[in-house]
Amino acid sequence: MNNFLKVLGLSCIFAFVAVCSHASTSMPYKITGELITIEPEAKEGETAQSEDDAEAEIEVTPTEDPALEPVDLSEATLTVSYETTNAEGESETVMLYDGPYQENFANVVQVSEPTDVKISLHLTEDSEPMTINAVIGTDSDVRFAYIDRPGPRDQFVLVGATNQVMNPENQFTLSGDLSFLGSDISSVATVSVDVMYFDDEGQRQFKSWGPVLLKNDSFMIQGDVDGPMMARMWINDSANYYANAEIILEPQTNLVVSQLGNQIQELSVTSGSGYHRKLVESWQQDSKYISMIEAYATEYDQFVERWEAGEPEPEVVDEEDSDVAESETDSEDSSESEDVVETLTPAEGCEDVVAQDSDIPDSSYTPPQYYRLQEKAVAFKNDKLKEVAEGDDDPMSRYLALEFSPYGYYDPKSELDALQSLVDEFDEQFVESNLNPKIERLNQYVTVLNNDAVLIPGQKVPEFTLADYDGEDRSLYSLLGDKDIVLIDFWASWCGPCIADFPELKKLHAAYTDEDFEIVGVSIDSTDEDWLGGVDEHELPWINLGEVKGWEGPVSTMYGVNAIPKGFLVDSQGCIYKKNIRPAALKEFLVDRYGMDESLEEPEVETEDTQEVSS
């Protein structure tokens, strides 16, 4: 017996040593890649392959468009690497593979523990790399693909499944069979998950898992999170399907994507447990909500059919829907703004300025029926989330409910109150990292809305001083003093609608300069390079000032700038004649004030006055 125990003891010791030795030994993991080529759609001059003749060749009319040519992999290189810290505490890159990439790539790398690697593809030596992240050392090999699409939308993606788990205790799984989408999804659809969170310094950070290419209509994404967080799943098909879904990720959860009711406009995501069940399934799996989404999806499909056929929209006669599905422009905040318009007395010296009808939002627009039905479903969802945000006993449930923005953009005060009620419910680190940044931004936004509400025709714009193009400080009222009418135009170099307005603004500026009309551009770019570069690129001939502090600069805040372009038309005393004025309305005002100029007889094509970029 003693000898048996000794042998058993030695066996156990040997096994333990073997396990330890195995754990510290690098294990081989296979990384494979493939090329997927998407052929251009058949056009005139092409012969498509038939089902009866699988060997039929496709005759493609030659094209001079290089974007439609197959990708050239003759110079392509691939790298697989990860970042580590050496003995001196310095960061360094470890290269697991650096070599050529062909249509069918296969390589084996060695790691001893889960390792977050970066896979980068360079099509040419001078091209920007296409990069995906993966984790090896999780008992799962890595498969990726380069999708060569017609045109400039090629993709570099993982295939079928991705296991990006660094800490198994915090693992989540998101999976689904999307075959129910039928013809609305193709073999080159991808799925990804994104989260936005705040780090310990309160700085906004982003993390993604995927994108993962569907394999046999299915996918699986595995990752890990330290705690519950709101995320968004994206499904992107290059052909015609694009969908997303809000989910809650948390450790040890298994989320499954499936069909919601009998429609495919919105996806069902269930877990059966945790915060996702409480905050998403509670409303999404409700039979009332499903009925609303089905009604919306049916009406939307019919709307698309009518639009493609050129048929007019039927008149909305359902008064119950009309009452329930109020548009956001009829919100409480808008009503308060209109009350301000009616109750504010004109500023001294501005008594003769009267608000024009065009300054009041046009409420005659009736949205399509599908939009009204969708709004009913959104209102149902938001009401459920507000109940949690305002009265649940669990502070984390209340916090996560607010992550879904149930109050929207038009009731920031209620959201701010709900966030502030959580300050005493969490530890100091959570408050500093997660609550305070949101509270600060909401306070800023509320201030902007309040300032916007009081800057109406008949009031005076506030004074400010900013540097001009040459670096000289210029005060607004010194610029107004010797002018009759001035347009204060808030813009940025990245704002498409702003740039689209420039040609007509230049025309008006040139036509009425002799009438003492001036434009003062105020850039809300984030850098001097962007602002000055934008002035040079578009050759802006008027007075250009730069705040260069983004949306939260003191001048843009003072002027209630929450969307650009934003224009104030004022006189020499700073009295506001028009607010949110765009080129078409500006031309009408100037012609009425000064008369027609010959240069305006053949005006350039006007941009849509409804376009704007919001913060």
Side-chain angles (χ1 to χ4, degrees):
M1 176 67 73
N2 289 337
N3 288 336
F4 173 76
L5 292 176
K6 289 179 181 178
V7 171
L8 179 61
L10 289 172
S11 299
C12 292
I13 293 172
F14 176 79
F16 177 74
V17 172
V19 169
C20 292
S21 176
H22 176 76
S24 62
T25 302
S26 294
M27 296 293 292
Y29 290 94
K30 194 173 184 179
I31 298 178
T32 59
E34 60 183 306
L35 172 66
I36 299 175
T37 302
I38 310 300
E39 298 291 344
E41 294 183 5
K43 298 179 180 178
E44 186 177 352
E46 300 177 354
T47 303
Q49 193 172 10
S50 67
E51 295 181 1
D52 298 331
D53 186 3
E55 301 301 323
E57 295 185 356
I58 300 178
E59 267 180 31
V60 181
T61 303
T63 176
E64 297 181 358
D65 187 353
L68 298 179
E69 294 296 324
V71 65
D72 180 8
L73 295 176
S74 60
E75 300 181 32
T77 59
L78 190 81
T79 61
V80 181
S81 63
Y82 67 90
E83 299 296 319
T84 188
T85 303
N86 61 25
E88 288 74 32
E90 301 171 335
S91 177
E92 63 180 23
T93 300
V94 177
M95 197 67 65
L96 297 175
Y97 175 83
D98 184 1
Y101 172 70
Q102 303 299 328
E103 290 189 20
N104 295 297
F105 174 87
N107 189 265
V108 175
V109 297
Q110 305 277 338
V111 293
S112 59
E113 60 183 358
T115 304
D116 191 353
V117 299
K118 181 170 67 174
I119 305 175
S120 298
L121 174 65
H122 298 254
L123 292 180
T124 65
E125 184 177 352
D126 298 327
S127 65
E128 289 294 323
M130 304 177 74
T131 301
I132 52 178
N133 291 321
V135 174
I136 55 177
T138 59
D139 295 328
S140 300
D141 293 332
V142 174
R143 296 185 60 195
F144 64 85
Y146 181 89
I147 305 177
D148 181 19
R149 303 181 188 272
R153 297 178 296 111
D154 293 354
Q155 282 186 287
F156 190 46
V157 298
L158 298 163
V159 177
T162 176
N163 184 339
Q164 296 177 245
V165 179
M166 297 292 289
N167 182 356
E169 294 183 357
N170 292 339
Q171 177 178 323
F172 71 83
T173 300
L174 175 68
S175 62
D177 181 344
L178 304 183
S179 58
F180 64 87
L181 295 174
S183 60
D184 285 317
I185 198 163
S186 75
S187 59
V188 290
T190 60
V191 183
S192 60
V193 178
D194 297 335
V195 298
M196 187 280 290
Y197 64 97
F198 293 94
D199 61 20
D200 290 343
E201 284 72 42
Q203 298 300 310
R204 185 181 299 185
Q205 303 292 336
F206 298 90
K207 182 174 177 60
S208 298
W209 294 269
V212 176
L213 181 69
L214 293 185
K215 185 173 179 60
N216 299 324
D217 294 329
S218 298
F219 75 95
M220 177 181 290
I221 295 175
Q222 293 176 299
D224 55 81
V225 290
D226 294 333
M229 60 177 59
M230 187 267 201
R232 190 174 293 274
M233 177 192 72
W234 305 90
I235 299 177
N236 187 11
D237 174 29
S238 64
N240 54 17
Y241 189 82
Y242 179 83
N244 66 82
E246 296 168 321
I247 58 179
I248 297 289
L249 300 178
E250 60 182 307
Q252 301 300 313
T253 56
N254 183 20
L255 298 153
V256 178
V257 182
S258 59
Q259 186 170 6
L260 183 66
N262 60 15
Q263 56 80 48
I264 58 173
Q265 295 291 340
E266 182 173 328
L267 304 176
S268 167
V269 184
T270 56
S271 67
S273 63
Y275 286 106
H276 183 86
R277 180 192 61 79
K278 183 175 185 178
L279 294 170
V280 178
E281 294 173 46
S282 60
W283 52 264
Q284 189 183 58
Q285 303 303 317
D286 190 297
S287 59
K288 293 181 180 178
Y289 181 81
I290 294 174
S291 295
M292 292 177 183
I293 287 296
E294 289 175 339
Y296 149 71
T298 299
E299 178 59 31
Y300 179 78
D301 291 340
Q302 293 174 357
F303 169 84
V304 172
E305 291 178 4
R306 292 190 295 267
W307 181 80
E308 292 177 344
E311 299 175 359
E313 282 297 291
E315 184 178 350
V316 178
V317 296
D318 189 341
E319 293 300 328
E320 180 181 353
D321 285 344
S322 300
D323 293 338
V324 175
E326 291 184 351
S327 68
E328 291 181 337
T329 56
D330 294 330
S331 65
E332 179 182 346
D333 192 75
S334 297
S335 299
E336 290 177 356
S337 297
E338 291 181 11
D339 289 342
V340 170
V341 172
E342 294 177 358
T343 58
L344 280 179
T345 57
E348 183 179 354
C350 304
E351 291 81 5
D352 294 336
V353 177
V354 179
Q356 303 296 313
D357 292 341
S358 58
D359 295 316
I360 307 298
D362 183 7
S363 59
S364 62
Y365 170 71
T366 300
Q369 178 70 352
Y370 81 84
Y371 179 83
R372 303 161 74 87
L373 293 171
Q374 184 184 40
E375 287 295 288
K376 283 183 64 177
V378 171
F380 181 89
K381 161 192 167 182
N382 287 341
D383 286 345
K384 294 287 187 181
L385 290 168
K386 288 176 187 177
E387 289 178 10
V388 177
E390 295 172 2
D392 198 90
D393 293 335
D394 178 18
M396 181 55 71
S397 293
R398 288 154 56 193
Y399 172 77
L400 291 172
L402 292 172
E403 290 286 271
F404 287 86
S405 301
Y407 298 101
Y409 294 106
Y410 296 94
D411 190 10
K413 184 64 170 60
S414 294
E415 183 178 359
L416 185 59
D417 290 343
L419 277 171
Q420 289 174 329
S421 72
L422 290 170
V423 170
D424 294 333
E425 303 285 350
F426 288 97
D427 61 49
E428 184 177 348
Q429 180 61 58
F430 188 91
V431 171
E432 188 64 28
S433 300
N434 295 276
L435 296 181
N436 284 348
K438 294 182 175 69
I439 290 173
E440 289 173 6
R441 274 197 297 274
L442 276 172
N443 274 320
Q444 162 79 11
Y445 186 56
V446 170
T447 300
V448 167
L449 290 181
N450 290 338
N451 291 341
D452 180 58
V454 298
L455 284 179
I456 59 174
Q459 301 301 307
K460 286 189 175 183
V461 291
E463 168 72 299
F464 63 81
T465 299
L466 291 172
D468 65 11
Y469 182 89
D470 297 319
E472 180 182 348
D473 286 344
R474 307 287 292 272
S475 70
L476 174 66
Y477 275 79
S478 68
L479 298 172
L480 298 180
D482 58 352
K483 299 297 179 182
D484 182 45
I485 291 293
V486 173
L487 172 67
I488 306 170
D489 180 42
F490 287 88
W491 68 286
S493 62
W494 44 260
C495 169
C498 304
I499 294 169
D501 282 355
F502 288 158
E504 188 68 9
L505 289 180
K506 287 181 183 180
K507 197 170 186 180
L508 294 170
H509 182 261
Y512 292 106
T513 296
D514 292 342
E515 305 291 347
D516 284 334
F517 167 68
E518 184 58 88
I519 298 177
V520 175
V522 180
S523 167
I524 66 166
D525 278 299
S526 298
T527 67
D528 285 329
E529 291 77 12
D530 290 339
W531 163 42
L532 298 175
V535 173
D536 291 338
E537 179 182 357
H538 303 292
E539 299 179 341
L540 305 183
W542 43 76
I543 299 171
N544 289 286
L545 308 179
E547 181 165 39
V548 200
K549 293 184 179 179
W551 293 103
E552 297 180 359
V555 174
S556 60
T557 298
M558 189 164 49
Y559 274 71
V561 177
N562 56 13
I564 53 175
K566 189 179 186 75
F568 293 86
L569 195 64
V570 303
D571 65 11
S572 61
Q573 303 302 311
C575 299
I576 302 173
Y577 276 74
K578 297 281 187 178
K579 176 181 175 181
N580 298 324
I581 192 168
R582 300 291 293 279
L586 176 61
K587 176 186 172 184
E588 181 181 351
F589 178 91
L590 294 175
V591 170
D592 181 65
R593 190 175 184 89
Y594 303 118
M596 172 61 74
D597 188 279
E598 291 183 0
S599 66
L600 299 177
E601 291 180 358
E602 296 181 1
E604 296 180 14
V605 177
E606 176 58 50
T607 57
E608 290 288 339
D609 276 3
T610 56
Q611 291 178 316
E612 61 181 18
V613 176
S614 123
S615 59

